[in-house]
Every structure is written in C-alpha cells, then in structure tokens.
Amino acid sequence: MQSSASLTISDLWIERGERDLCKGLSFSVQSGDVVRILGENGAGKSSLLKVIAGVLSPLEGQILYSGEDVTLDRNPLQQDAIYLGHSIGVKSLLTVAENLRWYCPDVSTSMLYSVLTQLGLIDQVDVPVKKLSAGQARRVALARLWLNKKTLWLLDEPFASLDVRGVALLEERIQQHVLLGGLVILTTHQDLLSIALRDVALLL
Amino acid sequence: MTYSSFLVSEFLVLWRRKQDVFNALLFFIIVVALFPIGINSSPDFLAPAAAGIVWCAAVLAILMAVESMFKEDYRDGSLEQLVVSGLSLPLLILLKVVAQWLAVVLPLLVMMPLLSEMLYLPRSGFRVLIMTLLIGTPSLFFIGVIGAALTVSIKQGAMLVMLLILPFYLPVIIFSTLAIKAAQAGLPYSGLLAMLLAMSLMSLVISPFMTAIAVKASVN
Amino acid sequence: MSWAWFHKLGSPKWFFSWSKSWPLPVFCFGCFCLVIGLAWGLAFAPADYQQGNSFRIIYIHVPVAMLAQSCYLALGVSGFVFLVWQMKMAPIFIKAMAPIGAIMALIALVSGAIWGKPTWGTWWVWDARLTSVLVLFFLYMGIIALQNSLEDQVLANKAAAVISVVGLINLPIIKYSVVLLETLHQGPTFTLTKKPEMPAEMWLPLLFSVIGLYCFVAGVVLWRMQSEILIREHRSSWVKQEVMEHGL
Ligand SMILES: Nc1ncnc2c1ncn2[C@@H]1O[C@H](COP(=O)(O)OP(=O)(O)OP(=O)(O)O)[C@@H](O)[C@H]1O
Ligand SMILES: [Mg+2]
C-alpha cells in the first residue's frame, strides 16, 4: 500500500453510446479522502468509475495517479487498486474460500477465516457461491477489502443488497482504510452515516 | 490475483464443469458415428475417410467448447476483474486457453484408439492422427477464442461464432487430413505437420493480443 | 514527408468535406469504362479458339473476382489501421466495404459456376479458385453478421477490425491449403485464368472492365461512407449545419 496517493482528473469527456458523460469534469483527491460520486440514475457514475479503473477509455482528458500519467496505460493504477463493479466478479461455481484464494493468494488461512468470521460467512466457507444469497455473495466480494493491501478502492454501489450490519461493517472498514492513508471513491445513493472524515461529494 | 492463482481457479472451474467437457466428448463421438450410419459403414469407404471424419467432428466439438469460454466470466463480472487486475491480459488469456485445451483435447486423445477401430483407420494413419491432433488443435483453440471474445456480449452467440470461425479452420482440417492420408499411402508427411505447427505457433503469438482487444471492447 | 493528411483522414468531418465532390465523377467514369469493356468484350472481341463464346464471361468473372480479393485486402489493412491508430474513418470504411465485397464474391461464384457448366460440364467443381472465393464469401458474411449482431458501436468497430485483420493474416494460408488440396486430389485440370497469350483485342476490354469496376465500387463505397458518417455524427454541429445548408 502506498503511503500517500493522489488521483487527479482533468477535462474528462466520456462518450457512452449516444451520450456525453462527465464532460469537462476535473477534480483532484488524495489519500485520506472518501469521495462519494452522487447523481441520478444514468448520470454516469458507474462509467466514471470504469474509466478510472481502466475498463473504459475516456474520449478526452487526463488521469494522473500519484503524479504519474496513466491516461493511456492504467497499469500503475491497477496494480494499486481494487475495483468492484455492479457485477461483483465472484465465480458462482467456486466456493467462498476458493474465490478469495483466487483474488488474494498470499493471505494466510487464519487471516482468511478471521475476516470471514467478521463478515458472518464462516459457516459458508466451503459452499459454492451460487448457493449464497445476493447479500452474502456481495460480502464475499467485499472481503477482498479486508484481505488485499491496495490503496485505491473504486466501489460501485458497495452497499447494494447489504443489511444494516453489513453497511455498518463496510463503513467502519472504509473509515479505517482512509485513516491508514487509503483513498476510496464510491458511488452510492445513500448518505454515509458514520464517516465524518474528509468526505468529498462529487455531483454529476 | 496472480497468474498462478488464476490458473488454479480456472482448473477448479473446469473441474466443477466436467459435465460440459464430457458433453463435448459425447457430441464428438455421436458426430463420428453419424458417418458410418448415415453414409456407408463398409471399411472401403471408412478407412480412407476416417481422418476427415475424426477431424470434422473434433473441429465441431472444440468450437462448441471454446464458444462458451467467456460467457460465465462475462456474466458474473470476473472478466472485468481480469481487465482491471493489473496483470497482462494476453497472458491471462493464454493461460485460460491452455487450461481449456488440456481439459478438452487430452480426453479426446484418450478416446482415439477406440474411434480409429470403429472407423477402420489403419495403423499407419493412427500415429499421425494423434500427432496432427496434438499439433493442430492448439490453433483451433487460439483462433476460436477470438470469436468467443468478440461475441461474448451476445445472448445467442453460438451460431455466430460458428459462422465467423469455421472458415478459419479449413486450413487446419486440410493439412491434417492430407498428412494422415499421406501417411496411409506411405508418402512423406512431415512438411504438412510443419505447416500445422507453424499455424499453431503463429496463432499462439497473435491470438492472445487480438482476444485481449476483443475482451476489453466487450466488457464495458 | 508530412503525415498531416493521414491524421486528417481520421476525422469524419474532414473526410466528408474532402470527399464530397469525388463519388459522382468516379462513379460515372467507372460506369463508362465498364460499359465500354463489357460491350466490347461481350459483343466484339473475338471468340476463344478453345472455349468458343463461353469464355466471354471472363469479362465479368475476372474483374469481380479481383475486386472480391482487393476488397478483403482493403478491409484487413483498414482494420489494422484502426487497431493501431484508432482512426475513426477505418470502421466506417469497413462497414461500407464489407457488403460490397460480399456481393462481388457472390457474383464471382455465380459467374464461375456459369463458366464451369460449358467448360467442365458441371456447375460446380472444387477448383482451388472457386473454393477460395467461396471461403472468402464466408469470411465476408461473418464480418457482416458480426457487425449486425453487435449493438454497441464501439464494440462493433473493434470486432470488425479484429476479424478483418485475422482474416487478412489467414487468407494466404487458406488459399495455399486449398491449392494444396486440389493438387493432391486431382491431376492438373484446366485452370480458369492461366491462359495462353491473349491477343490485344481480348485483354484490352478486360482491362477496361477491371478499371471500370474498381472505379464503380470506389464511387459506391464513398457514397456509403458519406451516409454512414452522417448517421454516426448526426449529433455534431457540423452535420446539422450541413443538412441545413444542402438538405439530405
Ligand atoms: N453498455 C452501454 N452501452 C451504451 N450506453 C450505455 C451503456 N451503459 C450505460 N450507458 C449509458 O451511459 C449512461 C451512464 O450510465 P452509468 O451506468 O454510468 O450510470 P450510473 O450513473 O451508474 O447509473 P445508476 O445509478 O443507475 O447505476 C446511461 O445513461 C446510459 O444511457
Ligand atoms: Mg451505476
């Protein structure tokens, strides 16, 4: 994990289908920030996250990560980032443990089990993900946030289908992460209750 | 994510989906059986035609297996995760193809003695048949995977992949069957095997990059 | 040498205004040459001493078959240009060109079959040339089907470019393998175009119809590209202005 990271975006222009999104958007955020991207449905929140993560390419604009220009090659950013999209990237045929081993091969078993206990998944360790509920599957994907040591988190509606306890757990984890110098960019339709840190709202 | 953890997860998924591989093999046997039943079951017809029959059936079975290679990953978002993983996408694709190849072609080879008996393939041709399958099928996978990646976002893409990819398979079928026939006739065939090898190597170099472009364009 | 023209080609707006005056004269010139070549070839050129009058179909078959291949070459090259330089005009070109190429391959197949009937006695022979044109036709249909099935414009562009490039790499191998298949399967048969020395009054009309068809297709493709540009760029201000000033 980098001790201080920053993300600067200037004069962005995303073209999606027939629509121009985020035209002329510029902002700069750094370690310690929790950035909430707000906007109505279809405003381009997910598209913005995908552009930052490198799933999409912007039509114009510049993206700097920790001073390095990653507009053309997002690799330096990807090395240090976790992206969770609308589809969570968990393989339904693999068990919970196998899925997490795939994403985080270096994690010790005890660490894995303690995180799964925390997330309430300890009884499902060896259950294939297709037999889990939507919220449980989401928790499996979110477990990476406890297991991986990456600075930049790009979370697309991470609270979707989580219960009250799950939301609280995640908020707590996000707070902990930014205190340690992480940078979190997320889209959400709800207010973050417990995060009182440098919370930046970005309205599209 | 690392390359090795990716490979392990690929093998695990293939193992969980062993029924699919089994189905592809069954399909292969049924297609092979159609020829003696549908055309002519005499050794006079089958012995010279055996190489062509086996290869056509193998091509269809392999295309069926390759076509759906990215479907599940696309649906659950793990394809997107490969793109943002920070690892080299062409290399990940290469690993995936290798895993798939092992899972499909090795069982296919195991069944060959049985099938060559069923089709009265002479001893002289059998050894070359195995060799052509070993050298030739990688290029089928590498070419097919491009089509699979291009059509992954289409719901019913199987027919399209067939239409798109089968013409590219013609040279592989031609070189292989000619090599087997040459061997049966006692003629030299190493030049044809070299062509097959060249095709496999060339597709191994080009296809992962093309497929990576296609995957990146498909996940959005 | 300046590369400015190359970069300008990437801009649909620039291309549109540059090419506005081209299609009509090119098309008319093509029609003119084509009419001369065909009339000359079909009616006035001397009959072949071996094949009689049936050989006259080369005045259709040869230009069409040449175009079918040239079109694919052009598709592959523009696909490559798109993958490397992201030039916006390349997919427009592919979209405009692919159906034309498919039609050319189809006409080549049909005219080849018509030629085959008096020459070989059957409509179809697995001759290396005919077979490779057939494969070429399949390749075109694949590209067209792919473009039609993909709704997302960005993906459709990339897909058509990828498959064209892969096809271009494969085409020589396919041709080689088909020739190999033929030479190993049957003795030397009569091949369609390796003909003994042609007298000038026989190949001149051929030249006319080849040049004519190239220009004809160039004109049609330019038109198709222009309308495709208007469709794709319909939101931009210059298209609105264009339509206001000149109508559709
Ligand atoms: N695959 C696609 N192809 C074409 N256009 C798309 C595609 N996905 C999204 N769009 C367009 O891009 C716009 C922004 O989509 P995006 O998913 O970024 O919205 P969002 O802000 O995340 O919305 P939500 O709150 O519903 O998640 C939408 O209006 C839609 O029209
Ligand atoms: Mg969204």
Side-chain angles (χ1 to χ4, degrees), chain A residues 12-13 16-17 55-56 85 107 117 122 139 142 158 161 174 182 191:
Chain A
L12 197 69
W13 179 5
R16 206 78 211 284
V55 180
L56 291 177
V107 166
T117 315
I122 195 66
R139 284 175 184 230
L142 290 172
S161 60
I174 289 174
D191 285 334

Side-chain angles (χ1 to χ4, degrees), chain B residues 125-157:
Chain B
F126 179 70
R127 210 168 53 87
V128 185
L129 172 65
I130 298 291
M131 280 204 280
T132 56
L133 282 174
L134 269 178
I135 310 177
T137 48
S139 70
L140 299 186
F141 277 81
F142 281 118
I143 298 171
V145 80
I146 302 176
L150 287 177
T151 56
V152 71
S153 60
I154 303 173
K155 282 265 155 49
Q156 305 293 336

Side-chain angles (χ1 to χ4, degrees), chain A residues 46 86 156-157:
Chain A
S46 303
H86 275 298
D156 200 349
E157 297 187 24

Side-chain angles (χ1 to χ4, degrees), chain B residues 59-181:
Chain B
V59 158
L60 290 178
I62 286 172
L63 204 47
M64 298 287 258
V66 172
E67 175 270 321
S68 58
M69 217 166 116
F70 293 118
K71 279 272 152 67
E72 192 65 34
D73 293 0
Y74 177 74
R75 236 192 324 268
D76 64 23
S78 41
L79 202 56
E80 202 174 43
Q81 290 296 331
L82 297 188
V83 174
V84 301
S85 65
L87 303 175
S88 149
L89 190 55
L91 194 51
L92 290 172
I93 288 164
L94 183 69
L95 291 177
K96 196 174 168 78
V97 174
V98 168
Q100 190 88 16
W101 183 81
L102 288 174
V104 176
V105 171
L106 289 188
L108 208 78
L109 288 178
V110 171
M111 293 191 318
M112 275 308 145
L114 178 73
L115 286 172
S116 64
E117 284 303 314
M118 276 164 66
L119 296 174
Y120 309 107
L121 183 74
R123 255 307 100 73
S124 56
F126 179 70
R127 210 168 53 87
V128 185
L129 172 65
I130 298 291
M131 280 204 280
T132 56
L133 282 174
L134 269 178
I135 310 177
T137 48
S139 70
L140 299 186
F141 277 81
F142 281 118
I143 298 171
V145 80
I146 302 176
L150 287 177
T151 56
V152 71
S153 60
I154 303 173
K155 282 265 155 49
Q156 305 293 336
M159 216 40 166
L160 186 60
V161 178
M162 297 268 171
L163 179 65
L164 206 58
I165 295 303
L166 272 180
F168 293 119
Y169 282 0
L170 286 183
V172 184
I173 301 178
I174 292 175
F175 292 139
S176 307
T177 51
L178 286 182
I180 299 167
K181 280 180 195 153

